[in-house]
């Protein structure tokens, strides 16, 4: 059976480590990227089933990265979920306009 691939894109090493640990423990194959540019590159190579994407990152923010990923034909059906500390409605609208499937705000409690 094929493992579900998840790409985590966040500029906070602690967040990447925390999420990776919990997702790997649950049996997922996990890849990480520290910024939007790296996330777009890894998405092209790994073709994940799910991308968890932060908004506020250096070089290329999550909104731009989401829009770029949505242009890649080979991963058009990949789910993109923003996982961010940004709670403003305009950020959520921008995320959905860029092609996101969902929007989750940090902090996240892994026990639920």
């Amino acid at each position: 059976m094929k493992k579900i691939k998840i790409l985590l894109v966040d500029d906070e090493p602690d967040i990447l480590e925390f999420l990776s640990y919990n997702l790997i423990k649950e049996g997922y194959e996990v890849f990480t990227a520290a910024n939007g540019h790296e996330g777009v590159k890894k998405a092209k190579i790994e073709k994940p089933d799910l991308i968890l994407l932060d908004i506020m990152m250096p070089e290329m923010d999550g909104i731009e990265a989401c829009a770029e990923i949505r242009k890649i034909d080979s991963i058009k059906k990949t789910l993109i979920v923003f996982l961010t500390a940004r709670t403003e409605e305009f950020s959520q609208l921008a995320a959905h306009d860029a092609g996101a499937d969902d929007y989750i705000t940090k902090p996240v409690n892994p026990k639920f």
Side-chain angles (χ1 to χ4, degrees):
M1 188 165 129
K2 176 186 168 257
K3 274 191 174 184
I4 294 173
K5 293 181 176 184
I6 300 176
L7 172 60
L8 306 174
V9 186
D10 199 304
D11 63 325
E12 296 286 335
D14 291 345
I15 299 286
L16 292 176
E17 183 180 344
F18 172 77
L19 290 173
S20 293
Y21 172 80
N22 283 287
L23 291 168
I24 290 168
K25 192 170 82 170
E26 293 298 320
Y28 298 103
E29 188 173 357
V30 177
F31 305 91
T32 62
N35 62 58
H37 284 299
E38 190 180 331
V40 172
K41 286 179 190 173
K42 285 220 177 152
K44 284 180 187 176
I45 295 166
E46 301 300 341
K47 297 176 180 42
D49 301 290
L50 170 65
I51 299 171
L52 293 176
L53 189 59
D54 189 21
I55 287 183
M56 298 178 293
M57 294 182 289
E59 297 181 41
M60 176 188 280
D61 70 27
I63 301 293
E64 293 172 284
C66 181
E68 287 300 310
I69 291 166
R70 283 294 181 222
K71 294 177 186 174
I72 303 168
D73 285 335
S74 61
I75 53 174
K76 285 247 187 239
K77 295 186 186 230
T78 294
L79 292 172
I80 300 176
V81 176
F82 277 91
L83 180 61
T84 182
R86 302 286 302 256
T87 59
E88 308 87 6
E89 188 175 332
F90 70 85
S91 292
Q92 293 180 33
L93 292 171
H96 287 289
D97 287 347
D101 294 292
D102 208 347
Y103 193 98
I104 301 168
T105 55
K106 296 176 191 173
V108 174
N109 185 341
K111 293 180 183 178
F112 294 107

